[in-house]
């Protein structure tokens, strides 16, 4: 029997879903949308790190990441934060696409899939 564990479930989504040793995080955004892309990216990744730890994983066990960026003008600045955050040799499969955001002030969002430790 397959077990699915949903953590912090609300009507629209669960923050974390665990299935067969795989962890799925809902989309994460920054803590303060009034900040620029560097700060938004850093606080977004801090939230990912916290959720991974809560789910029994870490950055070294990320399998894939999809990054949604409001405008590719922010790509280099976002990547600078990303590159400093991801441990060398542990980069996940990754996609980065331009997307409309749920709120006008948001510049970046990420969705992560990871393996349990």
């Amino acid at each position: 029997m397959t077990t699915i564990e949903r953590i912090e479930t609300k009507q629209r989504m669960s923050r974390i879903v665990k299935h067969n040793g795989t962890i799925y995080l809902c989309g994460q955004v920054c803590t303060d949308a009034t900040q620029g892309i560097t700060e938004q990216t850093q606080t977004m990744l801090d939230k990912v790190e916290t959720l991974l730890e809560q789910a029994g994983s870490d950055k070294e066990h990320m399998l894939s990441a999809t990054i949604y960026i409001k405008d590719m003008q922010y790509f280099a600045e976002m990547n600078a934060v990303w590159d400093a955050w991801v441990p060398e040799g542990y980069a996940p499969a990754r996609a980065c696409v331009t997307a409309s955001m749920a709120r006008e002030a948001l510049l970046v969002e990420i969705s992560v899939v990871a393996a349990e430790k």
Side-chain angles (χ1 to χ4, degrees):
M1 180 176 190
T2 301
T3 302
I4 299 172
E5 180 183 0
R6 300 173 198 281
I7 301 169
E8 295 185 40
T9 300
K10 298 183 177 153
Q11 180 181 358
R12 205 171 284 151
M13 73 182 101
S14 298
R15 290 195 71 189
I16 302 167
V17 175
K18 296 169 75 171
H19 177 257
N20 287 342
T22 304
I23 298 161
Y24 304 86
L25 302 183
C26 69
Q28 295 300 305
V29 296
C30 64
T31 55
D32 182 358
T34 66
Q35 299 294 312
I37 187 65
T38 298
E39 295 82 3
Q40 285 196 28
T41 303
Q42 186 61 60
T43 61
M44 172 190 76
L45 295 175
D46 291 344
K47 288 168 71 175
V48 167
E49 193 163 1
T50 298
L51 289 173
L52 287 173
E53 289 172 8
Q54 181 182 346
S57 189
D58 59 24
K59 297 186 288 186
E60 293 180 358
H61 287 80
M62 287 189 301
L63 302 173
S64 71
T66 303
I67 299 171
Y68 306 92
I69 193 165
K70 184 173 184 172
D71 190 312
M72 282 296 169
Q73 72 175 342
Y74 303 120
F75 188 69
E77 291 171 272
M78 180 275 299
N79 272 330
V81 178
W82 171 265
D83 292 345
W85 183 77
V86 175
E88 187 173 342
Y90 292 94
R94 190 186 102 161
C96 183
V97 297
T98 302
S100 296
M101 297 295 163
R103 292 180 310 191
E104 184 63 30
L106 292 173
L107 302 177
V108 64
E109 181 173 348
I110 191 169
S111 180
V112 171
V113 177
E116 287 183 301
K117 287 199 261 186

